[in-house]
Amino acid sequence: YSIAASPNENGLLFVIKCYQAGRASRWIEEVVDAGTTILIQGPFGRFFLDRETANLYLFVCTGTGIAPFRSHLKWALETEGDTRKMDLVFGVVRREDFFWIAWLQELEKKFPNLTVHVSTLENDPDWHGETGTVQERVQWIASDPENLSLYLCGAPDMVKEIKGTCISELGIPKKNVHQEAYI
């Protein structure tokens, strides 16, 4: 699970991926009801936007990895009025795995400095958007690597691969690469 609420929102919003045999998934599905009081620890990470830089933002995520970017986008665009160029690359396996697409499209319309790129891995005849990996998208989008802050969240292999490519091949400074690790 990941927290998706921005600092100025009341309450917490979580993105939770339930696994069929998962201990926490079964607990959520079988025990938790509306109004259940839950004690949690965390968050333990420090996945914040670097607001001291004028760099462009490139957010890359797969699946539930979009959770922190909902918070980042809401804060930067709606609260702070940030006008720097921002790209969000959001990939899933099947188009049925997408969520918040309507919200992202509305945000993109409202803020011309935001471009949202969504893609699926499966070639679905009913899908008319992009297909392929988020790794492919990043190489096309990262046009000014020295002035780019890269934020990664999602499948560990994807994060590792993009981080390596962006630093060694594209020339994004290591200090400008930020990641949220799945635990």
Side-chain angles (χ1 to χ4, degrees), residues 118-175:
V118 295
S119 66
T120 65
L121 287 178
E122 286 188 356
N123 193 4
D124 179 338
D126 293 329
W127 173 251
H128 303 291
E130 297 178 8
T131 58
T133 67
V134 294
Q135 291 90 317
E136 295 165 334
R137 302 287 166 272
V138 167
Q139 295 203 26
W140 299 334
I141 295 167
S143 59
D144 188 9
E146 294 210 8
N147 297 304
L148 184 71
S149 289
L150 174 66
Y151 293 83
L152 301 164
C153 188
D157 290 340
M158 176 278 294
V159 169
K160 182 179 179 182
E161 183 179 337
I162 290 180
K163 182 178 179 181
T165 299
C166 287
I167 293 170
S168 65
E169 295 177 27
L170 298 180
I172 296 175
K174 188 175 183 177
K175 67 181 174 84

Side-chain angles (χ1 to χ4, degrees), residues 30-105:
E30 298 169 8
V31 176
V32 176
D33 289 319
T36 302
T37 299
I38 301 170
L39 299 176
I40 60 171
Q41 283 186 305
F44 298 110
R46 297 193 42 80
F47 195 53
F48 304 115
L49 287 180
D50 179 0
R51 295 193 333 231
E52 301 298 316
T53 181
N55 286 351
L56 310 176
Y57 287 146
L58 174 55
F59 307 105
V60 183
C61 59
T62 53
T64 59
I66 195 167
F69 300 136
R70 179 192 178 275
S71 174
H72 291 336
L73 290 170
K74 284 186 75 59
W75 178 258
L77 295 169
E78 295 177 350
T79 304
E80 294 294 307
D82 198 324
T83 59
R84 79 184 78 203
K85 179 156 177 40
M86 300 178 197
D87 284 280
L88 170 71
V89 181
F90 179 21
V92 295
V93 175
R94 296 171 305 279
R95 68 184 174 98
E96 296 85 26
D97 297 333
F98 279 124
F99 53 97
W100 292 339
I101 295 299
W103 174 74
L104 289 169
Q105 290 169 338

Side-chain angles (χ1 to χ4, degrees), residues 1 16 18 23-33:
Y1 62 90
I16 301 171
C18 290
R23 184 172 59 174
S25 299
R26 284 194 331 270
W27 176 73
I28 289 168
E29 292 172 350
E30 298 169 8
V31 176
V32 176
D33 289 319

